[in-house]
Amino acid sequence: VLIFGILYAVWKLRGLHKEDESKRSEIHISALEAVSKTEHNRTWALILDRLDSFNESDWRMAIISADTMLEEMLETMGYHGETIGEKLKMIEASDFLTLDKAWEAHKIRNRIAHEGSFVLGKREARRVVDLYRQVFEEFHLI
């Protein structure tokens, strides 16, 4: 009887955990839907315009702007911290399918911001902006 009771309790706890995860996911998406989508689309259009430029500094600004959008998205979702890195560390992989892509894009942004000698090619800039795009599309931001 005791073993049956333990197995039943574990089974119930698993069910509660799955239910909690789905509710948390719904909260993140509904919080993002409350934010003005047209403003995000306008910002995203500016990022894409900068990416179409022939100037490397415009490509850098496009990535920095996309990172700023990522930070705003994380704040809206309820992740708090002093840096984007701290916010990303708070996220569980099950809540954020594109977490690795967000990390990769943010690391490139940090190299752009902190390494003066970092050379950014147009192909790499497009790849990084595409990583941000995948993250934003997961949460219906753009």
Side-chain angles (χ1 to χ4, degrees):
V1 173
L2 183 61
I3 292 173
F4 176 74
I6 292 171
L7 291 174
Y8 180 75
V10 168
W11 178 68
K12 281 296 205 180
L13 283 174
R14 280 189 174 170
L16 288 174
H17 182 67
K18 287 181 182 179
E19 185 178 313
D20 185 44
E21 283 182 20
S22 67
K23 284 182 181 178
R24 215 176 323 151
S25 175
E26 290 172 13
I27 290 171
H28 291 311
I29 290 173
S30 60
L32 289 173
E33 289 173 351
V35 177
S36 171
K37 194 168 185 174
T38 55
E39 183 172 330
H40 289 293
N41 284 337
R42 197 173 313 129
T43 304
W44 186 250
L46 289 172
I47 289 169
L48 295 178
D49 285 344
R50 286 183 176 143
L51 200 59
D52 286 336
S53 170
F54 293 106
N55 190 348
E56 182 182 349
S57 65
D58 288 337
W59 307 335
R60 291 172 180 263
M61 285 305 300
I63 291 171
I64 291 170
S65 296
D67 201 63
T68 302
M69 275 183 68
L70 175 64
E71 182 174 24
E72 291 170 1
M73 182 186 86
L74 294 174
E75 282 285 328
T76 303
M77 292 170 71
Y79 296 107
H80 300 288
E82 288 188 29
T83 65
I84 295 174
E86 289 178 6
K87 293 171 189 167
L88 289 173
K89 286 178 185 175
M90 293 176 60
I91 300 171
E92 290 184 35
S94 62
D95 294 339
F96 204 111
L97 300 176
T98 54
L99 182 59
D100 291 337
K101 294 176 183 185
W103 268 113
E104 184 179 352
H106 180 65
K107 286 177 184 178
I108 296 294
R109 180 265 174 210
N110 280 346
R111 291 186 67 195
I112 290 169
H114 301 295
E115 294 178 21
S117 62
F118 181 73
V119 178
L120 180 67
K122 188 163 190 162
R123 179 176 290 162
E124 178 68 359
R126 285 190 181 280
R127 186 186 73 78
V128 172
V129 169
D130 188 58
L131 292 172
Y132 282 111
R133 179 193 56 77
Q134 292 174 47
V135 172
F136 298 150
E137 284 180 349
E138 176 185 355
F139 294 99
H140 311 286
L141 192 65
I142 56 171

